[in-house]
Amino acid sequence: MTPVHSQLLETLEELGSGDLEKFKHALLHTKMKEGLPKIPKDQVETADKDEIVKLMVEIYGQRCVEVTEDILEMMNRTDLVGKLSERSSVSKGKTHRPYQHFVDKYQLQLTDRVSHMDPILDRLLDRGVLQREAYDTIRALPTSQKKMRELYCGCLQAGSGNRVQS
């Protein structure tokens, strides 16, 4: 479990069942900041606290703390925003490596080794991670390496924590 995962889980553990439902509702129905996708409804509705945290870390990467803080502020749970901010700043002082999304960590290997991009692009389109225009643009590129670079640099916005363009 990554430090970010632990911090978010500790925060969500402090929500009662009613507040957890409000959090999930906000996660589904709040307009996310630019570049952040929505988590698919069917994955959130039945998710427990741990599953929600896993989804948020996977989809929002390093920005999952920011998303959580925004939702908690909308819920008027500034007490939890303060605790989460405190937990985040304490962990940043430690010597552990910050959370790094799989795609960021293995960008070069993925670009070199992935040879069949079309099934990946199909899945990303199906899940709403890619818009049709980006999907068509990337599919039109001649090589898997060019497709992967365009996906990574154009849509996944590497290094900024923005996993996807909207």
Side-chain angles (χ1 to χ4, degrees):
M1 187 179 305
T2 66
V4 171
H5 186 130
S6 299
Q7 293 160 7
L8 293 182
L9 190 56
E10 283 177 38
T11 302
L12 293 188
E13 290 292 344
E14 296 189 44
L15 293 175
S17 60
D19 277 345
L20 180 62
E21 290 306 312
K22 288 179 187 174
F23 185 90
K24 289 162 68 169
H25 184 270
L27 191 59
L28 289 173
H29 300 291
T30 302
K31 180 169 173 31
M32 292 294 152
K33 290 183 178 180
E34 185 177 328
L36 294 178
K38 295 234 184 230
I39 298 176
K41 184 177 182 178
D42 60 334
Q43 293 182 15
V44 174
E45 287 182 326
T46 59
D48 63 16
K49 293 171 187 173
D50 191 56
E51 291 167 329
I52 289 170
V53 170
K54 286 178 185 172
L55 286 168
M56 291 181 70
V57 169
E58 177 184 322
I59 293 174
Y60 300 129
Q62 294 175 359
R63 293 188 68 189
C64 61
V65 171
E66 176 187 346
V67 170
T68 302
E69 288 173 342
D70 289 347
I71 292 172
L72 291 171
E73 284 177 11
M74 286 188 297
M75 294 172 58
N76 293 319
R77 292 299 307 264
T78 53
D79 58 318
L80 294 180
V81 173
K83 287 181 181 180
L84 181 55
S85 295
E86 193 175 298
R87 288 177 183 133
S88 295
S89 62
V90 167
S91 72
K92 287 177 186 171
K94 294 181 183 176
T95 57
H96 67 75
R97 246 183 106 184
Y99 173 77
Q100 197 176 15
H101 195 281
F102 177 87
V103 175
D104 293 331
K105 188 173 182 178
Y106 297 104
Q107 175 196 1
L108 293 175
Q109 292 91 330
L110 288 168
T111 301
D112 289 341
R113 295 181 187 169
V114 173
S115 57
H116 301 290
M117 282 295 297
D118 291 345
I120 294 169
L121 295 170
D122 292 343
R123 169 103 16 123
L124 293 173
L125 178 67
D126 183 59
R127 289 188 177 183
V129 174
L130 279 181
Q131 300 299 317
R132 174 55 86 172
E133 184 179 337
Y135 172 87
D136 292 340
T137 299
I138 295 169
R139 284 239 14 213
L141 294 171
T143 66
S144 291
Q145 288 79 15
K146 287 184 180 183
K147 290 177 182 180
M148 183 59 85
R149 282 188 202 98
E150 178 62 26
L151 178 64
Y152 185 78
C153 296
C155 297
L156 299 182
Q157 297 179 0
S160 67
N162 294 342
R163 301 303 325 147
V164 182
Q165 282 182 327
S166 48

